[in-house]
Amino acid sequence: MQIQAWLGCLVICAGLSVAQTAPATDEQIWAEFETFTKELTPQPPGESAGMRVRYLEALKAKGVPEPEAVRRFERMNVLRRATVDREKVYWDASFKSGGGPSTPLRLLQEALYKVKPGRALDAGMGRGRNTIYLASTGWEATGYDMSADALKVAQGEAAKAGVKIRTLEAKHENFDFGENQWDLIVCAYCYMQPEDAQWPPVFLKALKKGGLVVFQTSVGGQPSWSGLSENWKGFHILRMEDLDAGVVDNDWVPSRRFRTVALVARKE
Ligand SMILES: C[S@@+](CC[C@H](N)C(=O)[O-])C[C@H]1O[C@@H](n2cnc3c(N)ncnc32)[C@H](O)[C@@H]1O
């Protein structure tokens, strides 16, 4: 009887281990990641481990060998970009893991040198490092993000910093940017691309005269300058940089692996 039970266990365990070792399909990879995000608990305050670390640990704990775990993580990173709803699943989980840099964007600090504070909007604010920086330097700061977990972290951090910020849960696609509303719009690694023609006209309408856009993100390929200046007409481009991978090494990780575009533009 004991031998039968032991043999049974051996068969089941071998089966499980084959299942974990075998290359998972895209559907399995995404389903497995979604399950992981549902079970993920927020990191205690002050602690933070990136998503990669926490997800690889979870896969290894299930018996997935390291190379297959890395492959699944990398594939998940591609699959999540398929829809905005998947991105939301990813970012909610990311902010439970502590996600991303906590110091403000250097470009923002440089761009605002000697600029009089006014009303600022932080698009895709994440945990609010830039919104909080703005509030603490006298700006009336509003930020929005599609990740409710990010906004919770942001409000907690703002309370710790002793500043007030306004946070709204919204997607770029449905956020009302308004008209003549803002003195500053910040897009820091916020999943808008500088070459995407749909956003500059929205910013132009939403900004007050003389208002600034501070935009920085990593980009997959080589930016097209003619495309960029065409998109941003109506703005005076104060600063535009196309930086090699690794030049920006104190910000979000993709900037270490991909080129980064940094742009400061003023509504004429
Ligand atoms: C790399 S983080 C950057 C966060 C923050 N701007 C910063 O620099 O720390 C990307 C953020 O964009 C948000 N995001 C991505 N796609 C979005 C969308 N379509 N609408 C609103 N927020 C979005 C994510 O939830 C995430 O918080």
Side-chain angles (χ1 to χ4, degrees), residues 24 84 88 105-106 223:
V84 174
K88 181 169 166 15
L105 189 76
R106 190 178 291 166

Side-chain angles (χ1 to χ4, degrees), residues 44-60:
E47 280 179 41
S48 128
M51 177 75 87
R52 183 185 167 89
V53 172
R54 285 189 87 181
Y55 194 40
L56 291 187
E57 268 171 11
L59 289 178
K60 278 191 247 158

Side-chain angles (χ1 to χ4, degrees), residues 80-136:
R80 74 176 160 94
R81 288 164 200 269
T83 66
V84 174
D85 289 338
R86 281 193 178 176
E87 280 289 4
K88 181 169 166 15
V89 170
Y90 174 86
W91 284 107
D92 276 341
S94 169
F95 288 105
K96 281 192 183 137
S97 291
S102 53
T103 49
L105 189 76
R106 190 178 291 166
L107 180 72
L108 180 64
Q109 299 176 62
E110 291 173 5
L112 296 186
Y113 179 64
K114 291 197 172 167
V115 172
K116 192 165 142 270
R119 294 190 75 221
L121 175 68
D122 190 0
M125 66 186 289
R127 64 193 279 175
R129 62 184 176 129
N130 296 317
T131 333
I132 293 166
Y133 168 73
L134 290 167
S136 64

Side-chain angles (χ1 to χ4, degrees), residues 101-114 129-131 133-134 184 186-189 214-217 239 241 243 246-252 255-256 260-264:
S102 53
T103 49
L105 189 76
R106 190 178 291 166
L107 180 72
L108 180 64
Q109 299 176 62
E110 291 173 5
L112 296 186
Y113 179 64
K114 291 197 172 167
R129 62 184 176 129
N130 296 317
T131 333
Y133 168 73
L134 290 167
L184 170 68
V186 182
C187 298
Y189 300 84
V214 175
F215 194 119
Q216 182 168 311
T217 193
R239 186 168 168 178
E241 290 170 19
L243 302 160
V247 170
V248 177
D249 63 354
N250 60 343
D251 219 289
W252 285 89
S255 272
R256 287 179 224 150
T260 294
V261 168
L263 170 74
V264 181

